[in-house]
Amino acid sequence: MTDAEVRALRIALTTRREIAHPSACRLGRTLELWAGCAPARAAKPAGLATELGVPATALACALDLRTSAPALAGVEEEIAARHGARLVAFGEPGFPAPFADLDLPPPALWIAGEIPERPTVALVGARRASRYGLESAAWLARGAAEAGALVGESDHGPNKSLYAHDPDGLELEVMWLVPAELWGDEEH
């Protein structure tokens, strides 16, 4: 596989709801073991899935992504660019070393701005926040503001974020992705 194909597949793995996050991380890290497998082996993914430590359904979905990954990745890159972010896939220059060192690093990251040199903490909320999740975000914002820790917040329509400092001065972010049924006309 070319570097571009590997990148596209890692981005696509990150975006597929059919593949649980731990499986997407494992598949992204072990891409060279399965992405180029012969059609005969791909037709019966159960043995390979066991070998990789992922459910056969996750591997089957990942194998199906091989043809659609470039288009899916292109869409994700356009979305990231519209929001002032960039995508960095595992193994690429710019992929943060602390993430690469994880047992199950994410296949790709959306990065807005620069990653600080000093230790930081990021808390990431739900990809499909419920009404309760959105209410919790408002509650966290009020608490952080009252404590003098709230640095900022953002509302990009389909996602909402809070930025704060912990007691040690480390920055953190809590992000929620608003379910599509709660979006306004602008987000659709």
Side-chain angles (χ1 to χ4, degrees), residues 57-99:
T57 53
L59 179 59
C61 184
L63 288 166
D64 288 345
L65 279 177
R66 293 181 294 182
T67 54
S68 60
L72 292 169
V75 168
E76 291 300 319
E77 295 200 71
E78 288 174 15
I79 292 169
R82 274 199 316 263
H83 292 285
R86 66 188 186 285
L87 282 162
V88 182
F90 174 74
E92 291 182 335
F95 192 88
F99 284 94

Side-chain angles (χ1 to χ4, degrees), residues 15-155:
T15 64
R16 303 313 305 163
R17 289 189 180 150
E18 302 87 0
I19 302 174
H21 183 69
S23 293
C25 291
R26 187 171 308 280
L27 290 165
R29 186 175 192 89
T30 61
L31 210 130
E32 68 284 347
L33 299 176
W34 62 269
C37 73
R41 186 153 190 207
K44 297 182 180 182
L48 181 56
T50 300
E51 190 179 311
L52 296 171
V54 299
T57 53
L59 179 59
C61 184
L63 288 166
D64 288 345
L65 279 177
R66 293 181 294 182
T67 54
S68 60
L72 292 169
V75 168
E76 291 300 319
E77 295 200 71
E78 288 174 15
I79 292 169
R82 274 199 316 263
H83 292 285
R86 66 188 186 285
L87 282 162
V88 182
F90 174 74
E92 291 182 335
F95 192 88
F99 284 94
D101 293 339
L102 294 171
D103 288 336
L104 292 175
L109 293 171
W110 284 250
I111 299 174
E114 296 304 315
I115 298 175
E117 295 291 323
R118 62 188 173 88
T120 57
V121 175
L123 301 175
V124 180
R127 286 194 138 227
R128 290 186 42 88
S130 62
R131 288 185 192 275
Y132 171 76
L134 295 172
E135 290 171 10
S136 296
W139 176 79
L140 284 169
R142 279 191 304 277
E146 289 169 6
L150 188 64
V151 175
E153 59 185 76
S154 65
D155 181 347

